[in-house]
Structures are given as structure tokens and as C-alpha cells.
């Protein structure tokens, strides 16, 4: 679809996280949005409904989240960058077709503005309760990518990053924000269109007669033909061979396929994973945090330093694939790790797995308020000399 | 067989992925006839196969997307219409056809059907209605007739069946037809009409499932089911779809709706064009 | 009894009745019997032959009876039968 540059934003803007996410999507070339209203992600849909027609894109409000994600997969296979945005209950409804996206290696971005759960839970309150669901919510073995923005600027930047990763690896990519990041207003710098890095899916170089839609290159990612390009490919959620032919009774094909779907992410995790290291060089205690909790953590670390506590922060920008190496490296250097999360213990499990002998202190927070810096500081205070 | 005959190719071979033949469907299954009529419709309209996308759901007929030599996608259970909606809107030049079963389109996927019809998305939906969930071994579904025996209605079905053409018409489809798998010519003509029409078009095919449905319901062979279609069918073109019964003694078939209404895609294009000139 | 008047069409010399060739792709047949049952001219019948699938494909009883209606081609679920007009350029 044609892009009208006059409709692209640039320069400094004051906006909320949901709007910044929508603008990031438009900046990276997303031209299809299918969604269903849900608090606290609705503002993304509203912004897309206004903005996409201005840039020759398509906004459609579907009958439910099952349809939204299905339409996104349809649009992506027709060659358009596509996304949806939702929150807990809608995210749960999307799980089956997220599995289809994994299986058919359909690039797409799913934004989950997390609220309190389980079930309808607390629609207007923040939470970080869906991080494990993002990783494991659909059935079967697979890998996905998930990014966790902690500011409105990152809602813009990481939406772009999410599309680029999704297009690179042909994998559904999640932006896991929370109600506070989604609704918070901050300044956002939008670079000129020229300076925004845009990655598009690899196209096939073989003629249609030789093309296998699931025949990978060396990086384990197959080039992607789209509908109407003359390749006449077939894709299915059934276990399939490199040519998309169903092979539901072959152990070998199942083994190779599942292994490749996982390994294309695992083997490339060094290229995918991003973390932010703050004051970690000489740290004796470190906070591992992401999203909204990392903001209080940063403040707590600075306060701790002022009190002579050698504290540092490892902020996870990528939570999936989990930054094993980066967390392990910090865990080996410090006396303890502190993990604040707005849930009852999710990413802390991964931290404990990687930290091995190093003690891990978990700070749970549920409900309206995010962690206060002082609460995290209290935990760090135990390491005062 | 003469040498000449050995070399003869079936006239519709080019519409099929030959390496996947024979298809998985049972002897005498109506799905093969639907595939045959679809191929004939494409042939007679001389449609460029590179512009056709076939989307299917789950169930026996779900495999049809893998047999058609066009871009094709075998989606999850109940979601082909939603998937097709995304594909069509993202690339309007495509002819997007959903071919799926009654359970897929009207039980698990019923909501998508009524909303796509209401929006008048320019997609074509062909439904193989065999009254039963065949692939899972014969459970009752949203179209199973009252009193029918299935593995989950061992004492006879006590649920009312959907009238699919009535549902489609009420939901806003611009073209609605019903034929049986025996009405091969009229079915092909209806598929052709649907393919050429702008907007949400629906063709129901009453299709025989001799193995899983027929033999438990007093029709032991595919031929006996086809004979039922022959004897019971009554063509009532443009009659009230609300009265289009399906019963042991009468199957009302025909074209029920053929109206003009701007499609979702057209309205979207017009809105975008207006924005560009403002 | 009504008097039946027979007359020869004026263009009978010019019009040639099309002759059919019926092709059966035996190994694609699953033996449903639709082509045999619903042929309006009874051109086909079940054969004793077993194909690679273990089905009995149809066999041609009398090809000259075929009116090229194409019903067998259309109703075959397995793309196993089709009819074409015989090439009679060099006489049939």
C-alpha cells in the first residue's frame, strides 16, 4: 500500500503510550489493524482508526479478538504489515491463532496492555500478569519474542523494533506494556521517516516451481511469498513439510519443524535480546526489572547509591527469549538479585532458574499502585555495608 | 486402454495440486464434487489463478485449500472468514474464497459469518453442509436435523437445525444460493455468480457424508444419499429463504438473494479517497 | 391413434452429430458409482476390475450412446472420468 509521507509525524510530541504505540506502528509501515475495544488498549484502536486511512491503511473493528488476530494473519499473508492490540481477556481469546501464526510463520505484532487478572480482573489497573501467557499461552512447543516498554518513548521505539523482529524471524512478536505505560503522557521524539530503521520480510529468490514456503535459509527463516505474487503456496496449521504439505503422521517432520520453530529464535537470541545496564560495573546487589516496575527500580537504585549501597539495575527490554546470559552474568557478580513485578511471581521464576546459587528476593505487587521506590530501596537496604 | 487414453489429462488438472491427489475424502463424499464444481467455475470464468486465495477451516472439507492450485491457507477451526476478511482488505485485487463446513462456519465460527455478511466484505463463502462433524467421527452439529442419529445424539437429535440460507439472507449477504451435490451445473453457475459479484456471497451445498452420517440415518451408500437429493429437491428460486426447509421429504434449493449493495471494501476506498482530497 | 408424421430435417446433411470419447482415469476412481447411476444414457457399468485402490472403476458399455452432457465429469468427486468430443477430422 502506498504511503503518504505528509501524514507521517516527526519531531517532539506529547502523547500517551497507547498513541505512541500506534504512531510507532505507522512509522514502521504497519498498514493494517484489526481489533476489538478493550480497556486499557482501546486508545491504540482509536488512534489507528483515525490514522490508518490517512496513510492508505486499513482499520477494521472485528466482532471479537478471535476474529481480530485471524484478520491480522490474513492481512500479513497478503503482504501487509499488520497488528492488533488488546488486554488480558482479549489476549486469552487470541491464543489459538497465535499458535497458527507461529506454525505458519506469519509475521505480526500483538500489543497487550496488561491489566489485573485473572479473568475480567481490574480493567483500569496496571499489571504484569500476562508475561508467562505471552510465552506459553498457545498449546505446543514454540518460541516467540516479547518486548517490555517502560516509557512512552519506548512504546514508540519498541513497536518499531517489534515489527522489525517479527519481519526478520517470521514470528509473532509481543509488546507487553501495562495500563500505566499505556495511559501515561510523556514527551516522545519521533525521528524523521528516513532515519527510522525498517525491516521487511525476506522475499523468495527461487522461481515458484521450486519455492517451498517453509524451506529455511541458513538462519532457519524461510523467505516469505505472499498471496497474489504468483507462488501459489499453501500454509496450514497442521504439521507440514518444507512445501507446506500436511504430514500429520511423520515423527521426523514434526521433530524437524518444532525444532526449527524454536531454534530460529534460540540461536538468534544474541541478536534479539536487549537489556539496559545501569550502575552494574561494581554492583553488589542488582535489581532485575522490566516495564513499569523498572521505573521505581531505577529510582531505588539511585537512592541506594546515595546511601552508599552498591546497587545496580538490569532492565529487561526483551523478556522473551529470556536474557539468560545477561542475567546470569549479573547474578555471578552480585550477592543478591531483587525482582519487583506487578504479579504474583512470573519472570522471577526465570531469574531464579538462571541465578542458580545467588539469592533472589521477589517483590510482588498486585492492584492499583506500582512499586514505590522506597519499597525496593528497603530490599536493597539489607546490603548496606 | 489405448496409449492415447493413457496420455489424456483431466481437463481440470491444472486447478489441482496433483502431487496431493488422491484427496483424503471417502468414496462418494460430496467434498470432491464441490472441488470439481469450483474448478469448473474457475475454468469457465477463465480467472487468473494467481489472484485466487482459497481459505478453509477445520474438518474434512478444510483440506480443500491444500488441493486447489492457488494461494491457499488452512486456518484454525472456525476462523477462515475472519482470516479471509484480513486478506481481502489488505489486498483488494484478490478473489478470496472461503470453502468450509457447516460446523466450522456456523458453530464455532458462526459469529464471524454473520458479521462478515453484515459488513458485506467482498468474500465468497461456499459451505459444504453434511449435517454432521465428519472428521471427528460423526457428532451432531448446528445443521443436524431433528431426530437424526449421531454419536452424540444416540437417542435422536433434540436440537433445532439452522437454516443457513435464511441466516445468510438475514445477516445481509448480497447473494445466497443453496444446491445439493447432485445439482452440479446449477451449483457451478452459482459459484460463478458468487465469484463475479461484489460483496458477501454465500453458496450452501447440501453434501452427502455416506460414511459418517448416511449409514446411520437409513442411507447406506453415497448413491442412496444422492437419490434422496434427487427425489426430495424442489427448486424454488427467489422464494422466502425462511421457508427453505430441509426435511426427509423436501429440500428447498435455488437462488434466494441476488441484490446490489456497496461492499465494505468499496466504502473503505471511497472514504480513503475523500481523505486524500481534503 | 394419432398419425405420426416423420420428416427428415432439411439440414440433416450439414449437421453432424458430435461423437464422444469417454475417458476413465481408472486408478483415481474410488468406486462411488455416481457416473454409472446418473448417466442419462446408461453409457457405463461397474467393472469387475480392481484398481490400485481396490475399487471397481466403471467400464464403458456403449460409447456411441454418450450425448456429451458432461454430467459424469462434473459429478465425479475424484476427477476420474471426463468426456470429450471425438476428433472426426479424419473420419470416425
Amino acid at each position: 500500500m502506498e504511503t503518504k509521507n505528509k501524514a507521517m509525524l516527526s519531531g517532539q510530541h506529547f502523547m500517551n503510550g497507547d498513541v505512541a504505540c500506534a504512531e510507532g506502528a505507522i512509522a514502521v509501515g504497519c498498514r493494517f489493524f484489526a481489533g476489538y475495544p478493550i480497556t486499557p488498549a482501546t486508545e491504540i484502536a482509536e488512534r489507528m482508526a483515525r490514522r490508518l486511512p490517512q496513510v492508505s491503511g486499513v482499520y477494521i473493528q472485528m466482532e471479537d479478538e478471535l476474529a481480530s488476530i485471524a484478520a491480522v494473519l490474513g492481512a500479513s499473508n497478503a503482504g501487509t504489515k499488520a497488528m492488533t492490540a488488546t488486554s488480558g481477556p482479549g489476549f486469552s481469546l487470541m491464543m489459538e491463532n497465535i499458535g497458527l501464526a507461529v506454525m505458519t510463520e506469519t509475521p505480526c505484532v500483538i500489543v497487550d496492555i496488561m491489566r489485573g487478572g485473572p479473568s475480567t480482573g481490574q480493567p483500569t489497573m496496571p499489571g504484569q500478569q500476562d508475561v508467562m501467557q505471552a510465552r506459553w499461552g498457545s498449546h505446543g512447543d514454540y518460541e516467540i519474542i516479547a518486548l517490555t516498554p517502560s516509557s512512552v518513548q519506548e512504546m514508540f521505539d519498541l513497536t518499531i523494533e517489534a515489527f522489525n523482529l517479527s519481519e526478520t524471524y517470521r514470528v509473532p512478536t509481543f509488546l507487553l506494556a501495562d495500563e500505566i505505560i499505556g495511559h501515561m503522557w510523556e514527551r516522545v521524539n519521533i525521528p524523521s521517516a528516513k532515519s527510522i530503521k525498517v525491516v521487511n520480510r525476506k522475499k523468495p529468490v527461487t522461481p515458484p516451481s521450486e519455492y517451498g514456503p517453509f524451506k529455511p535459509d541458513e538462519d532457519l527463516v524461510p523467505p516469505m511469498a505472499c498471496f497474489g505474487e504468483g507462488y501459489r503456496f499453501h500454509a496450514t496449521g497442521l504439521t507440514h513439510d518444507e512445501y507446506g504439505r500436511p504430514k500429520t503422521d511423520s515423527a521426523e517432520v514434526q521433530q524437524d519443524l518444532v525444532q526449527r520453530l524454536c531454534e530460529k529464535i534460540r540461536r538468534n537470541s544474541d541478536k534479539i535480546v536487549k537489556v539496559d545496564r545501569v550502575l552494574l560495573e561494581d554492583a553488589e546487589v542488582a535489581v532485575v526489572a522490566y516495564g513499569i516496575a523498572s521505573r521505581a527500580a531505577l529510582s531505588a537504585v539511585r537512592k541506594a547509591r546515595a546511601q552508599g549501597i552498591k546497587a545496580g539495575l538490569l532492565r529487561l527490554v526483551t523478556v522473551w527469549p529470556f536474557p539468560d546470559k545477561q542475567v546470569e552474568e549479573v547474578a555471578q557478580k552480585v550477592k543478591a538479585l531483587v525482582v519487583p513485578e506487578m504479579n504474583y511471581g512470573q519472570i522471577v521464576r526465570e531469574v531464579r532458574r538462571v541465578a542458580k546459587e545467588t539469592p533472589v528476593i521477589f517483590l510482588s505487587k498486585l492492584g492499583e499502585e506500582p512499586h514505590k521506590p522506597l519499597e525496593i530501596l528497603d530490599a536493597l537496604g539489607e546490603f548496606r555495608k | 486402454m489405448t496409449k492415447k487414453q493413457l496420455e489424456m489429462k483431466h481437463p481440470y488438472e491444472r486447478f489441482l495440486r496433483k502431487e496431493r491427489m488422491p484427496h483424503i475424502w471417502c468414496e462418494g463424499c460430496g467434498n470432491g464434487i464441490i472441488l470439481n464444481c469450483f474448478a469448473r467455475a474457475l475454468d469457465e470464468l477463465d480467472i487468473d489463478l494467481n489472484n485466487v486465495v482459497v481459505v478453509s477451516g477445520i474438518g474434512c472439507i478444510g483440506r480443500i485449500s491444500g488441493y486447489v492450485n492457488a494461494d491457499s491457507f488452512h486456518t484454525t477451526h472456525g476462523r477462515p472468514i475472519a482470516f479471509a476478511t484480513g486478506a481481502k482488505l489488505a489486498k483488494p485485487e484478490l478473489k478470496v474464497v472461503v470453502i468450509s463446513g457447516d460446523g466450522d462456519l456456523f458453530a464455532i465460527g458462526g459469529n464471524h459469518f454473520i458479521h462478515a455478511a453484515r459488513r458485506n466484505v467482498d468474500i465468497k463463502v461456499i459451505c459444504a453442509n453434511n449435517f454432521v462433524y465428519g472428521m471427528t467421527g460423526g457428532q451432531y452439529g448446528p445443521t443436524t436435523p431433528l431426530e437424526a442419529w449421531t454419536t452424540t445424539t444416540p437417542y435422536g437429535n433434540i436440537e433445532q437445525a439452522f437454516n443457513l440460507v435464511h441466516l445468510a439472507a438475514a445477516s445481509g449477504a448480497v447473494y445466497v444460493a443453496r444446491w445439493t451435490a447432485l445439482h452440479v451445473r446449477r451449483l457451478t453457475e452459482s459459484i460463478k455468480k458468487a465469484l463475479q459479484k461484489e460483496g458477501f456471497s454465500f453458496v450452501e451445498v447440501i453434501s452427502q457424508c455416506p460414511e459418517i452420517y448416511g449409514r446411520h440415518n437409513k442411507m447406506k451408500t453415497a448413491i442412496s444419499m444422492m437419490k434422496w437429493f434427487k427425489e426430495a429437491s424442489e427448486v424454488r428460486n427467489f422464494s422466502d429463504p425462511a421457508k427453505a426447509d430441509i426435511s426427509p421429504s423436501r429440500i428447498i434449493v435455488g437462488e434466494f438473494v441476488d441484490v446490489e449493495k456497496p461492499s465494505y471494501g468499496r466504502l473503505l476506498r471511497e472514504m480513503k479517497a475523500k481523505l486524500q482530497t481534503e | 391413434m394419432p398419425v405420426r408424421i416423420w420428416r427428415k430435417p432439411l439440414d440433416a446433411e450439414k449437421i453432424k452429430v458430435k461423437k464422444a470419447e469417454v475417458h476413465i482415469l481408472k486408478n483415481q476412481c474410488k468406486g462411488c458409482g455416481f457416473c454409472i447411476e446418473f448417466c442419462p444414457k446408461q453409457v457405463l457399468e461397474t467393472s469387475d476390475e480392481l484398481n490400485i485402490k481396490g475399487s471397481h472403476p466403471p467400464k464403458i458399455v456403449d460409447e456411441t450412446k454418450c450425448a456429451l452432457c458432461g454430467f459424469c465429469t462434473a459429478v465425479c468427486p475424484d476427477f476420474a472420468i471426463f468426456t470429450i468430443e471425438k476428433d472426426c477430422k479424419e473420419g470416425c
Side-chain angles (χ1 to χ4, degrees):
Chain A
M1 287 177 196
E2 192 199 351
T3 305
K4 281 225 162 184
N5 282 332
K6 69 175 184 185
M8 307 294 288
L9 295 186
S10 63
Q12 284 197 354
H13 295 267
F14 189 59
M15 55 176 64
N16 72 26
D18 283 352
V19 169
C21 169
E23 288 299 333
I26 286 165
V28 74
C30 170
R31 291 294 177 270
F32 186 93
F33 182 100
Y36 187 82
I38 187 166
T39 305
T42 306
E43 290 86 343
I44 301 176
E46 287 174 341
R47 184 71 170 191
M48 286 305 233
R50 177 176 288 270
R51 293 282 282 126
L52 277 173
Q54 295 174 344
V55 294
S56 282
V58 177
Y59 169 88
I60 183 166
Q61 197 162 298
M62 299 300 285
E63 49 277 14
D64 54 33
E65 288 87 350
L66 304 163
S68 303
I69 182 75
V72 163
L73 300 194
S76 181
N77 278 284
T80 300
K81 287 184 188 174
M83 79 184 284
T84 185
T86 188
S87 190
F91 199 43
S92 293
L93 286 180
M94 289 183 185
M95 285 303 150
E96 190 192 11
N97 268 344
I98 286 168
L100 182 65
V102 168
M103 196 62 149
T104 57
E105 302 181 66
T106 301
C108 58
V109 170
I110 299 128
V111 182
D112 177 16
I113 309 294
M114 295 182 284
R115 61 195 227 184
S119 191
T120 316
Q122 296 186 306
T124 60
M125 300 295 174
Q128 296 182 310
Q129 293 182 288
D130 305 348
V131 284
M132 280 296 173
Q133 188 184 17
R135 174 68 187 84
W136 301 106
S138 198
H139 55 280
D141 289 285
Y142 61 94
E143 293 274 346
I144 47 80
I145 298 172
L147 310 177
T148 48
S150 66
S151 66
V152 177
Q153 180 70 48
E154 270 196 342
M155 286 294 277
F156 180 87
D157 296 341
L158 294 185
T159 302
I160 292 174
E161 179 77 6
F163 270 99
N164 288 344
L165 289 167
S166 183
E167 293 282 318
T168 304
Y169 298 104
R170 287 187 65 178
V171 72
T173 299
F174 300 90
L175 193 76
L176 300 175
D178 58 76
E179 185 275 332
I180 300 178
I181 303 293
H183 282 163
M184 184 166 62
W185 287 66
E186 284 183 330
R187 190 173 65 187
V188 177
N189 278 314
I190 300 184
S192 66
K194 268 186 279 176
S195 58
I196 289 174
K197 185 187 166 196
V198 176
V199 179
N200 296 317
R201 59 195 70 169
K202 267 191 298 198
K203 301 308 290 180
V205 287
T206 46
S209 58
E210 291 162 35
Y211 175 62
F214 304 101
K215 199 173 178 181
D217 289 340
E218 263 182 38
D219 61 357
L220 301 183
V221 183
M224 185 171 177
C226 294
F227 296 152
E229 292 176 352
Y231 283 85
R232 298 194 199 169
F233 69 95
H234 178 64
T236 171
L238 290 167
T239 293
H240 49 267
D241 66 11
E242 293 177 340
Y243 295 90
R245 294 178 291 220
K247 298 282 169 188
T248 52
D249 50 6
S250 163
E252 194 188 336
V253 173
Q254 168 76 348
Q255 170 75 33
D256 290 353
L257 177 63
V258 174
Q259 188 170 310
R260 184 175 64 73
L261 292 177
C262 291
E263 290 301 322
K264 73 175 177 181
I265 303 302
R266 288 184 195 174
R267 280 197 213 162
N268 290 303
S269 66
D270 282 348
K271 291 182 209 153
I272 298 166
V273 165
K274 273 191 182 164
V275 295
D276 196 3
R277 295 181 180 85
V278 185
L279 300 168
L280 282 173
E281 293 77 23
D282 61 341
E284 290 176 356
V285 58
V287 185
V288 179
Y290 58 95
I292 183 64
S294 69
R295 292 173 74 110
L298 179 62
S299 172
V301 163
R302 290 205 174 116
K303 284 186 168 73
R305 284 275 170 175
Q307 293 177 13
I309 303 164
K310 287 191 172 172
L313 168 67
L314 181 70
R315 184 170 73 88
L316 310 181
V317 178
T318 314
V319 284
W320 307 117
F322 191 73
D324 279 27
K325 274 187 209 164
Q326 291 79 354
V327 174
E328 193 181 356
E329 190 186 285
V330 174
Q332 281 170 357
K333 289 200 301 193
V334 296
K335 290 177 192 158
L337 294 168
V338 176
V339 181
E341 282 186 274
M342 287 205 75
N343 56 42
Y344 205 56
Q346 296 199 12
I347 285 294
V348 67
R349 289 164 171 262
E350 293 296 295
V351 176
R352 285 203 171 110
R353 174 179 62 80
V354 175
K356 296 191 181 94
E357 306 290 302
T358 311
V360 176
I361 301 160
F362 174 56
L363 303 176
S364 169
K365 196 87 185 177
L366 294 165
E368 181 183 359
E369 282 192 340
H371 294 79
K372 293 188 179 78
L374 288 179
E375 289 166 344
I376 300 170
L377 185 62
D378 272 354
L380 296 172
E382 291 176 29
F383 299 90
R384 193 174 283 121
K385 272 183 185 164
Chain B
M1 191 179 276
T2 64
K3 196 181 167 209
K4 193 181 164 197
Q5 276 180 317
L6 281 171
E7 285 164 2
M8 287 304 286
K9 282 184 178 174
H10 194 282
Y12 303 146
E13 194 182 290
R14 69 187 181 96
F15 297 99
L16 304 175
R17 289 195 172 100
K18 208 169 172 257
E19 76 279 9
R20 297 194 198 176
M21 293 289 134
H23 51 62
I24 63 161
W25 301 318
C26 306
E27 168 195 330
C29 174
N31 292 343
I33 301 177
I34 295 170
L35 177 59
N36 193 331
C37 293
F38 181 60
R40 175 180 279 225
L42 292 173
D43 186 51
E44 289 178 5
L45 292 175
D46 201 18
I47 289 178
D48 180 2
L49 274 176
N50 286 340
N51 274 331
V52 174
V53 180
V54 177
V55 185
S56 66
I58 299 297
C60 297
I61 189 112
R63 295 298 189 98
I64 200 166
S65 58
Y67 300 136
V68 180
N69 188 17
D71 284 326
S72 57
F73 213 98
H74 182 207
T75 69
T76 44
H77 200 15
R79 317 298 161 217
I81 287 179
F83 181 97
T85 299
K88 177 66 188 178
L89 296 180
K91 207 167 200 173
E93 61 269 34
L94 298 172
K95 286 246 181 248
V96 182
V97 186
V98 171
I99 309 180
S100 210
D102 49 301
D104 185 81
L105 294 172
F106 293 96
I108 190 168
N111 204 27
H112 309 310
F113 181 89
I114 59 174
H115 287 280
R118 173 183 62 78
R119 286 185 193 106
N120 198 21
V121 183
D122 189 11
I123 59 173
K124 320 296 152 200
V125 178
I126 301 169
C127 173
N129 178 5
N130 64 358
F131 311 117
V132 79
Y133 287 99
M135 197 162 240
T136 46
Q139 297 73 37
Y140 79 101
T143 55
T144 308
L146 267 176
E147 296 173 18
W149 190 94
T150 72
T151 60
T152 48
T153 52
Y155 312 112
N157 183 28
I158 54 169
E159 287 192 19
Q160 305 290 331
F162 260 144
N163 172 345
L164 302 183
V165 290
H166 184 33
L167 181 66
S171 303
V174 293
Y175 181 75
V176 179
R178 174 197 283 158
W179 301 105
T180 77
L182 189 70
H183 294 90
V184 284
R185 287 215 190 82
R186 295 194 241 214
L187 171 59
T188 305
E189 287 309 311
S190 275
I191 294 173
K192 280 163 70 180
K193 266 197 188 174
L195 283 167
Q196 289 169 293
K197 205 161 167 71
E198 178 188 318
F200 188 91
S201 305
F202 176 62
V203 180
E204 177 185 4
V205 191
I206 306 296
S207 177
Q208 70 280 12
C209 173
E211 283 297 315
I212 306 289
Y213 184 80
R215 70 190 171 96
H216 298 301
N217 291 283
K218 296 171 189 161
M219 290 171 284
K220 286 200 171 126
T221 61
I223 287 182
S224 59
M225 292 201 79
M226 290 284 259
K227 281 184 178 166
W228 170 43
F229 297 163
K230 192 176 177 183
E231 284 150 20
S233 291
E234 213 177 295
V235 181
R236 290 272 185 88
N237 283 325
F238 301 103
S239 63
D240 182 358
K243 293 176 184 152
D245 306 332
I246 299 175
S247 72
S249 59
R250 205 162 74 147
I251 302 172
I252 303 294
V253 294
E255 290 178 287
F256 298 95
V257 178
D258 189 354
V259 295
E260 304 301 322
K261 197 162 51 171
S263 68
Y264 182 97
R266 176 184 294 276
L267 294 175
L268 181 69
R269 278 193 297 282
E270 285 172 8
M271 178 181 77
K272 286 197 269 191
K274 207 172 148 196
L275 279 173
Q276 302 295 327
T277 54
E278 267 172 11
Chain C
M1 282 280 284
V3 182
R4 298 175 78 181
I5 301 165
W6 292 94
R7 81 177 166 85
K8 195 178 171 189
L10 296 174
D11 55 357
E13 304 299 319
K14 285 183 228 160
I15 298 293
K16 279 190 179 162
V17 178
K18 290 174 182 174
K19 289 186 177 168
E21 257 179 47
V22 181
H23 294 269
I24 300 165
L25 304 169
K26 288 184 188 175
N27 284 329
Q28 273 172 235
C29 174
K30 287 181 184 166
C32 67
F34 294 162
C35 55
I36 301 166
E37 176 70 29
F38 297 110
C39 173
K41 299 282 182 184
Q42 288 83 44
V43 172
L44 305 157
E45 67 178 24
T46 313
S47 67
D48 295 330
E49 192 183 341
L50 277 180
N51 69 8
I52 53 166
K53 291 194 186 79
S55 308
H56 296 287
K59 71 174 182 197
I60 299 162
V61 182
D62 185 355
E63 200 173 51
T64 60
K65 284 204 258 172
C66 174
L68 281 166
C69 74
F71 194 83
C72 58
T73 312
V75 84
C76 176
D78 300 291
F79 298 87
I81 188 167
F82 61 95
T83 55
I84 53 168
E85 194 187 325
K86 211 171 241 180
D87 183 3
C88 288
K89 272 179 219 148
E90 287 155 30
C92 289

